Amino acid sequence: MTPPPSNGADSPSSSSSSTPASTPQPRPREKIPGYIFGDVIGTGAYAKVRRCYSEKFKMNVAVKIVSKKNAPKDYLTKFLPREIQCIHKLRHKNIVRMFEVC
């Protein structure tokens, strides 16, 4: 059976399928040695959480990425260190466990 004739609309050389120069290009994904990054699974005011694979721990993990550019200075100097300290001490089956801080 022969495919139906093309009218040019599906052709890659068609002008309707070309990408305009003003279209933003995707940003490169974060890179932390030892982690293979996947999809974003959550976002907040100053951070996002990505699904990752840890080569060190050989398991899937969630990585919280805090934007130093968007976060206020007092969040980075007071609240984030306190959050890290508290989460590091917690051990409960219903609370995520922290493995490391980069």
Side-chain angles (χ1 to χ4, degrees):
M1 183 173 216
T2 324
S6 174
N7 63 1
D10 298 320
S11 170
S13 62
S14 167
S15 62
S16 64
S17 66
S18 65
T19 306
S22 63
T23 303
Q25 297 299 316
R27 292 177 44 194
R29 292 183 178 225
E30 292 81 7
K31 293 184 181 179
I32 299 174
Y35 292 92
I36 300 169
F37 283 83
D39 299 332
V40 173
I41 57 175
T43 58
Y46 314 126
K48 61 183 168 181
V49 178
R50 294 189 77 118
R51 183 184 326 257
C52 299
Y53 179 78
S54 171
E55 295 172 341
K56 178 179 179 181
F57 298 107
K58 307 284 189 245
M59 59 191 267
N60 290 321
V61 296
V63 174
K64 181 176 183 178
I65 304 161
V66 178
S67 170
K68 291 182 180 180
K69 188 169 70 170
N70 295 339
K73 192 84 163 166
D74 62 336
Y75 174 79
L76 295 173
T77 58
K78 288 170 43 177
F79 300 107
L80 184 61
R82 190 179 318 148
E83 177 183 345
I84 292 169
Q85 182 182 20
C86 291
I87 292 176
H88 186 68
K89 292 179 182 179
L90 290 174
R91 294 288 184 272
H92 190 276
K93 64 179 182 174
N94 295 333
I95 299 176
V96 296
R97 184 171 170 212
M98 183 172 61
F99 291 103
E100 68 181 330
V101 177
C102 301

